[in-house]
Amino acid sequence: MNITKNIHEWLFSLMPETTASIVEMVLIAVIYLAIFAVAGLYLVLLERRVAAWFQLRLGPNRVGYQGLLQTMADALKLVSKELTVTIKADKFLYNLAPYFVIVTALMALSLFPFSKEFQAFDINIGIFFLTAISSIGVIGILLAGWSSNNKFSLIGAMRSGVQTISYELSVGLSLLTMVVMTGSLQLSQIVEVQKSGWLIVQGHIPAIIAFCIYMVAGTAETNRAPFDLVEAESELGAGFHTEYSGMKFAYFFLAEFINMFIIAAIATTIFFGAYLSPFGITESIPLLGVFWFLAKTLALVFLMMWFRWTFPRLRIDQLLVLEWKYLLPLNLMNLILMALMVLLGLTIKF
């Protein structure tokens, strides 16, 4: 039983079928919008704290207790700013672009099993849907760069297109390696398989290689350092969102952190058992399952932040060589190795 079914049965006992369906969809949307907003704001705060820790300084510590309300204050400031647009911009596409990025991130968020009972959208092609919907986000970046009528924005958008198309292959093949092992695309079934042990352990060396490649390629997918050529401040100002201000800029800024959470959440679900505890116990208490899911996801988010504050930015040729000459061939060989292990029954079972 999941969150959708619980709400569905409660509403249908109170009101007519059509009205209940509409109210049900609105309620679920509001819940996930709240999760989206709160997660985005506090991931920004976490990033600033981690950056401060790596640079041996304090970080935000003025607004609220220990700076906990700093990102709230920043959000209010952005909401109050004037929405500007250049005279020669394509206004329709310029205004549409931020919503592509936000909506795709929100749709991807709805698939994750935060606990056994807390999953809004569980379909039998879950991983395929995640990879497909995540690919649409780059359209928003391309539209933003082109419609701004700014050469720096356009360069940033084109870099994003090249980077995303390249590293999507490694992300997809890493996930496909684990699909070969589990025999299912449905996230709930993949979690069920891991009750006898996380897939990163069951899959032995191919699973570990798939995870390492996934994290590198996933970091590139989110346009974060050391793969942040899309927003290279020293070269492009702010890249594709140079001409954006106020809430529209906040959409892009928020989406970057939510996408980082999504990449980490996919890794948590596929490799580390989602809401299952590390002690091999199936959690029947929803809040405990949510705790384990968030703990593992935030640990991977911290790893991605560690990348950012440790490594220098790559050049565009280095970025493409890493993908096409190293990650992609290694991924293909790893996929074949996993297929052979599954065929011969060599994956570890507990």
Side-chain angles (χ1 to χ4, degrees), residues 180-197:
V180 167
M181 181 182 170
T182 58
S184 175
L185 291 167
Q186 190 167 353
L187 295 181
S188 59
Q189 288 187 9
I190 291 172
V191 175
E192 286 294 312
V193 170
Q194 297 180 75
K195 286 182 177 179
S196 58

Side-chain angles (χ1 to χ4, degrees), residues 296-315:
K296 287 182 272 191
T297 301
L298 290 175
L300 295 176
V301 166
F302 173 76
L303 180 64
M304 295 173 75
M305 292 178 178
W306 194 342
F307 291 163
R308 175 172 184 173
W309 300 107
T310 305
F311 299 111
R313 182 183 301 135
L314 298 179
R315 299 193 310 265

Side-chain angles (χ1 to χ4, degrees), residues 194 198-200 211 267-274 276 296 300:
Q194 297 180 75
W198 295 348
L199 288 188
I200 198 165
F211 170 71
T268 296
T269 306
I270 304 302
F271 296 97
F272 295 102
L276 300 175
K296 287 182 272 191
L300 295 176

Side-chain angles (χ1 to χ4, degrees), residues 133-155:
I133 204 68
S134 299
S135 303
I136 296 174
V138 73
I139 295 175
I141 293 174
L142 290 169
L143 287 178
W146 184 85
S147 64
S148 295
N149 196 33
N150 178 305
K151 61 183 178 183
F152 297 116
S153 297
L154 183 58
I155 291 169

Side-chain angles (χ1 to χ4, degrees), residues 85-345:
V85 58
T86 54
I87 294 172
K88 293 185 179 180
D90 186 321
K91 291 183 175 57
F92 174 72
L93 295 179
Y94 176 89
N95 292 319
L96 180 65
Y99 296 100
F100 262 99
V101 179
I102 284 287
V103 170
T104 53
L106 187 59
M107 289 175 70
L109 202 64
S110 67
L111 264 76
F112 296 117
F114 289 93
S115 73
K116 193 169 184 179
E117 280 96 19
F118 191 1
Q119 184 179 10
F121 191 39
D122 183 27
I123 54 175
N124 60 357
I125 54 167
I127 293 179
F128 178 76
F129 182 86
L130 272 175
T131 53
I133 204 68
S134 299
S135 303
I136 296 174
V138 73
I139 295 175
I141 293 174
L142 290 169
L143 287 178
W146 184 85
S147 64
S148 295
N149 196 33
N150 178 305
K151 61 183 178 183
F152 297 116
S153 297
L154 183 58
I155 291 169
M158 295 307 293
R159 285 182 177 183
S160 177
V162 170
Q163 186 169 320
T164 303
I165 290 168
S166 298
Y167 280 86
E168 270 178 358
L169 291 169
S170 284
V171 169
L173 285 172
S174 297
L175 296 177
L176 185 59
T177 302
M178 306 314 294
V179 169
V180 167
M181 181 182 170
T182 58
S184 175
L185 291 167
Q186 190 167 353
L187 295 181
S188 59
Q189 288 187 9
I190 291 172
V191 175
E192 286 294 312
V193 170
Q194 297 180 75
K195 286 182 177 179
S196 58
W198 295 348
L199 288 188
I200 198 165
V201 178
Q202 290 190 42
H204 206 47
I205 293 173
I208 294 170
I209 294 172
F211 170 71
C212 293
I213 294 174
Y214 173 83
M215 289 306 297
V216 173
T219 304
E221 276 278 281
T222 53
N223 301 323
R224 289 181 57 81
F227 307 100
D228 60 336
L229 282 85
V230 177
E231 305 171 17
E233 294 89 350
S234 56
E235 305 164 25
L236 304 178
F240 63 91
H241 54 62
T242 297
E243 298 294 347
Y244 283 86
S245 65
M247 202 59 203
K248 289 190 175 68
F249 166 76
Y251 287 160
F252 284 114
F253 190 64
L254 196 63
E256 178 185 328
F257 285 89
I258 292 297
N259 285 332
M260 180 171 58
F261 180 86
I262 288 169
I263 290 294
I266 293 172
T268 296
T269 306
I270 304 302
F271 296 97
F272 295 102
Y275 54 82
L276 300 175
S277 81
F279 310 112
I281 304 169
T282 304
E283 306 298 350
S284 56
I285 306 171
L287 285 179
L288 203 53
V290 172
F291 166 78
W292 284 118
F293 184 91
L294 292 178
K296 287 182 272 191
T297 301
L298 290 175
L300 295 176
V301 166
F302 173 76
L303 180 64
M304 295 173 75
M305 292 178 178
W306 194 342
F307 291 163
R308 175 172 184 173
W309 300 107
T310 305
F311 299 111
R313 182 183 301 135
L314 298 179
R315 299 193 310 265
I316 187 68
D317 61 308
Q318 292 172 326
L319 181 140
L320 294 175
V321 164
L322 175 63
E323 165 61 15
W324 294 100
K325 285 191 175 180
Y326 297 98
L327 295 187
L328 185 59
L330 182 58
N331 233 328
L332 289 169
M333 289 187 290
N334 193 51
L335 178 60
I336 294 169
L337 179 59
M338 177 62 86
L340 287 173
M341 287 184 66
V342 171
L343 182 64
L344 299 173

